[in-house]
Amino acid sequence: MTNQEPNQREGKLRDLLILVPYVKPHQAKLWSAVALMIVSSLVSIALPMFMREAVDTHIMAHDLRGLVSLIAIAFALIIVMTVANILRGRLMAKMGQDSIRALRDDLFAYMQKLPVQFFDKIPVGKLITRLTSDVDALRDLVGNAIVAMVIDSLRLVGFLVLMFWLDWRLTVITLLISPILVYAMTFLTSRIRKAEDQVREQASLVNANLQESISGIKVIQGFQAEEHFHEQFQVENHSLLQAGMKAIATYAFFWPTIDLAWILSIAAIFLFGGQWVLDGTTTPGILVAFIAYTDQFFGPLRSLSQAYRIIQRALAGAVRIKRIMTTETEVNKNLKPMPKIIGRVEFQNVTFGYDPGEIVLHDISFTAEPGQTVALVGHTGAGKTSIINLLCRFYDPIEGRIAVDGLNIQEHDLESYRRQIGLVLQEPFLFSGTLRDNIRFGAPQATDEQIWDALKTVGLAETFIKNRITLDTILTERGANFSTGQRQLLSFARALISDPRILILDEATAHVDTLTEQKVQQALAKLLAGRTSFVIAHRLSTIRNADLIIVISDGRILESGTHEQLLTLKGEYWQLCNSQNIVQIS
Ligand code: TTP
Ligand code: MG
């Protein structure tokens, strides 16, 4: 769905409307900045006229006092302009930062709710780079470009009007030079932009690469694959260098070309203007003022071309951000909330594939009665986790229907549904923070007593007390200061606290040793009691007591029934049990 990143040049001005709600609260700042900019623009438009006045009226007439007072007035105006510019810069920067902070907040909240599919298709590093640079592009737009665009256009018009009024012939000469400028502004800037796009793209690849190799550092070092990853990184890094060099090479043309245009205009103005002063058709003051105007004329042109680039980048960013913010609403279609459920789960002829062309689950149907424990059994890759993914609505089936208490889960609000599901995975998600926060993750209002009770139930309390671990103990990233088994039990405690109606354990007991396993079995029994539970475990001893065992193979249900029923079938399950010496035990 969202795997194609839009091209930089895509995006319409309309897409920038996503900024309106963020800029609106800062309207006062915006308008003050506009007012300040109008003041400073008026001064900058007027200043060359002072030069004309100084030369023609005062210098030519040897009027020193008049000259001094004229300069004093001009000086005062320049101070006004400078102060206005400083204030405007601060106001706009503040507005840019404030509104973009709010946008970044919202974006983060949206991202957290995006369908899992979204993340399947874009590497995390790339997503992060994209989002940070997209947000920055919008900040540049809000904090600078919007106002600059309007005011620079006004200044340009102001300059042109005054220039024509002073001497239309000189104005025509200045404008004759403008094709060089137009070339620099359009052709060169579009090449620079392309090169910069490539730099950004390449930078995001480097980041994705970095992110991957940092999170896999243990495996990489363990397998001594550093060289391989380094080589890969060198390749990406080299491409980044090349993209950067290309951008710089193009950029190296830009300013000299602009300067050339400027110097040519000044030379032409001196050449023709000088003659016209001599033949009396224009005055020295006008010539001086004109040179000042020509100089100033280039300023807004430059910043307009910069603003144009910022707008292009912001447009591309806005499209991607908008895409994220609208993806979310596709899921949350304002559905009615899922009422409090009892926990009867039905799969009705469910067919599913992560890629519609590649079916992973074929025509799956089964019913789990409230409170039952259902075990999903099958070889690796059979589709067990995929069934769970559908039940959690990380994905939606292609065909068929999943109902809980008879209600189609696709027709009900996701949040209110998921709140009633507990998910314990093989690799528990622990985050940096206190033990307390990690355990009451799904039930923030849980008291310390409840947390300790849960820890007791899963058999962790004793060890924790012995090792002086309190609820305030800080977990380092991903709970690295706990053993894998302890992390697993922590995630049991977390599930207990949030007290879900439907509980899912996907390979959740894989890390627990046989000694603790007895404890775990007791903990599990308490955890599963009174809830509809789905248990996936390769170790079949964990699931013998299940009310319903479903054997999956290649995405199809092969057999289902209780342990005893399935053994008498002497089919796939019987074989699986044989391979784990379970038959004898039973
Ligand atoms: P799973 O449903 O993950 O298989 P499983 O849970 O039975 O296997 P295991 O015991 O190893 O955990 O995979 C079924 C097919 O779906 C498999 O071909 C891989 C594919 N698949 C994806 O394409 N994307 C996914 O996110 C997942 C989970 C699976
Ligand atoms: Mg699995």
Side-chain angles (χ1 to χ4, degrees):
M1 39 175 254
T2 29
N3 54 337
Q4 290 126 342
E5 294 285 24
N7 185 290
Q8 293 282 324
R9 266 149 294 282
E10 252 180 54
K12 305 187 175 60
L13 281 175
R14 182 160 25 96
D15 292 323
L16 292 178
L17 290 181
I18 58 164
L19 286 170
V20 172
Y22 299 98
V23 175
K24 232 177 178 170
H26 308 287
Q27 269 184 70
K29 285 200 190 83
L30 181 66
W31 293 120
S32 322
V34 169
L36 287 167
M37 252 192 142
I38 290 176
V39 169
S40 69
S41 302
L42 285 179
V43 176
S44 78
I45 293 172
L47 278 178
M49 300 306 274
F50 279 79
M51 296 188 188
R52 184 189 79 152
E53 194 66 11
V55 174
D56 286 350
T57 317
H58 304 294
I59 296 178
M60 301 302 265
H62 296 273
D63 170 19
L64 183 62
R65 282 189 55 189
L67 182 67
V68 169
S69 50
L70 188 74
I71 288 175
I73 297 172
F75 189 68
L77 281 178
I78 287 173
I79 289 198
V80 168
M81 179 174 82
T82 310
V83 171
N85 277 337
I86 292 173
L87 283 180
R88 188 251 316 157
R90 289 186 51 164
L91 274 177
M92 291 303 290
K94 179 109 179 49
M95 191 191 84
Q97 299 286 359
D98 283 350
S99 46
I100 292 309
R101 186 194 54 78
L103 173 70
R104 213 186 284 126
D105 263 7
D106 279 3
L107 198 56
F108 181 81
Y110 273 107
M111 284 238 309
Q112 296 273 294
K113 290 187 182 165
L114 280 180
V116 174
Q117 263 157 312
F118 188 89
F119 300 95
D120 285 353
K121 291 176 177 160
I122 306 176
V124 181
K126 202 165 169 176
L127 196 63
I128 291 175
T129 319
R130 277 289 157 86
L131 286 180
T132 44
S133 70
D134 288 346
V135 170
D136 284 349
L138 288 182
R139 185 201 54 210
D140 290 345
L141 179 76
V142 174
N144 191 356
I146 294 180
V147 176
M149 274 267 290
V150 178
I151 300 295
D152 281 331
S153 314
L154 287 180
R155 275 171 76 195
L156 265 190
V157 173
F159 288 148
L160 271 179
V161 167
L162 282 176
M163 283 160 85
F164 267 107
W165 179 71
L166 284 173
D167 193 320
W168 65 269
R169 296 169 303 177
L170 285 175
T171 315
V172 169
I173 287 173
T174 303
L175 290 181
L176 281 181
I177 312 290
S178 52
I180 300 182
L181 275 180
V182 172
Y183 162 80
M185 300 291 170
T186 56
F187 181 70
L188 283 183
T189 44
S190 89
R191 280 188 54 174
I192 290 172
R193 207 176 64 219
K194 262 190 216 145
E196 282 178 347
D197 289 353
Q198 266 171 13
V199 171
R200 258 196 307 283
E201 184 63 28
Q202 200 57 45
S204 80
L205 285 178
V206 167
N207 272 0
N209 193 313
L210 201 60
Q211 203 262 346
E212 217 170 76
S213 40
I214 290 177
S215 54
I217 191 69
K218 277 187 197 154
V219 180
I220 293 175
Q221 290 186 353
F223 281 90
Q224 314 237 300
E226 295 98 332
E227 271 310 305
H228 170 75
F229 273 82
H230 188 192
E231 272 162 30
Q232 214 179 357
F233 186 80
Q234 274 177 327
V235 173
E236 301 287 10
N237 200 16
H238 186 73
S239 307
L240 176 60
L241 172 77
Q242 277 180 329
M245 291 305 291
K246 210 165 137 196
I248 291 168
T250 321
Y251 216 73
F253 271 94
F254 186 70
W255 291 116
T257 310
I258 301 256
D259 285 343
L260 178 71
W262 181 76
I263 290 166
L264 285 178
S265 330
I266 300 292
I269 289 168
F270 266 112
L271 182 64
F272 292 95
Q275 287 177 44
W276 291 330
V277 172
L278 293 181
D279 71 17
T281 49
T282 198
T283 68
I286 287 180
L287 187 60
V288 170
F290 218 86
I291 286 168
Y293 273 129
T294 308
D295 189 19
Q296 294 239 25
F297 187 63
F298 285 75
L301 266 186
R302 275 176 209 173
S303 62
L304 271 180
S305 84
Q306 265 163 7
Y308 176 73
R309 269 173 55 209
I310 292 176
I311 287 175
Q312 290 292 319
R313 279 191 56 198
L315 276 177
V319 172
R320 281 193 289 262
I321 288 174
K322 195 171 159 187
R323 179 163 306 194
I324 288 177
M325 293 191 160
T326 45
T327 307
E328 199 264 339
T329 51
E330 277 170 22
V331 176
N332 265 358
K333 292 176 216 148
N334 256 338
L335 300 171
K336 46 185 178 298
M338 181 62 97
K340 204 162 163 43
I341 56 175
I342 305 171
R344 183 186 151 92
V345 177
E346 285 166 284
F347 271 58
Q348 296 166 347
N349 307 97
V350 171
T351 294
F352 169 71
Y354 294 93
D355 189 344
E358 210 176 305
I359 299 300
V360 168
L361 294 176
H362 303 265
D363 197 25
I364 301 283
S365 300
F366 64 84
T367 304
E369 298 299 336
Q372 276 194 337
T373 299
V374 177
L376 299 174
V377 183
H379 289 292
T380 177
K384 304 178 296 285
T385 299
S386 304
I387 290 180
I388 296 311
N389 281 344
L390 291 179
L391 181 59
C392 295
R393 258 203 89 199
F394 292 135
Y395 302 86
D396 286 327
I398 297 174
E399 275 171 42
R401 171 170 183 272
I402 301 172
V404 171
D405 290 3
L407 305 170
N408 187 342
I409 58 172
Q410 250 177 294
E411 287 164 9
H412 290 79
D413 169 57
L414 194 57
E415 227 177 280
S416 58
Y417 170 58
R418 284 224 185 112
R419 215 176 293 133
Q420 308 187 55
I421 303 183
L423 182 60
V424 184
L425 298 177
Q426 179 165 13
E427 211 29 77
F429 171 67
L430 298 174
F431 50 88
S432 2
T434 62
L435 185 61
R436 180 184 295 106
D437 287 343
N438 266 283
I439 296 178
R440 60 174 186 189
F441 186 56
Q445 71 287 353
T447 64
D448 284 6
E449 269 106 349
Q450 284 171 308
I451 295 176
W452 276 113
D453 275 350
L455 285 175
K456 253 179 231 141
T457 312
V458 301
L460 276 177
E462 268 174 54
T463 336
F464 279 6
I465 292 169
K466 208 168 69 192
N467 294 327
R468 301 225 181 91
I469 292 171
T470 67
L471 294 185
D472 291 310
T473 302
I474 301 283
L475 273 72
T476 51
E477 199 183 353
R478 290 163 187 245
N481 44 350
F482 289 91
S483 78
T484 316
Q486 283 175 331
R487 275 182 266 164
Q488 201 66 71
L489 293 175
L490 276 182
S491 65
F492 281 14
R494 177 191 280 170
L496 258 180
I497 291 273
S498 71
D499 192 23
R501 293 311 310 147
I502 300 178
L503 179 71
I504 297 163
L505 304 172
D506 189 349
E507 292 295 338
T509 52
H511 292 308
V512 188
D513 60 55
T514 20
L515 187 75
T516 31
E517 193 178 3
Q518 289 197 331
K519 267 192 200 163
V520 173
Q521 294 300 345
Q522 291 166 5
L524 260 182
K526 284 189 191 148
L527 195 58
L528 302 184
R531 311 175 207 282
T532 312
S533 314
F534 291 82
V535 180
I536 300 176
H538 279 284
R539 217 170 345 175
L540 296 178
S541 55
T542 338
I543 53 164
R544 307 193 348 212
N545 302 326
D547 301 296
L548 176 66
I549 298 172
I550 300 176
V551 183
I552 321 271
S553 173
D554 279 336
R556 292 188 168 81
I557 297 187
L558 270 193
E559 309 163 349
S560 63
T562 62
H563 181 68
E564 282 70 28
Q565 286 169 347
L566 289 178
L567 281 184
T568 54
L569 278 181
K570 301 233 160 167
E572 181 90 4
Y573 183 76
W574 179 77
Q575 275 180 7
L576 277 169
C577 287
N578 264 337
S579 66
Q580 293 187 18
N581 296 329
I582 300 285
V583 188
Q584 289 89 325
I585 296 169
S586 69

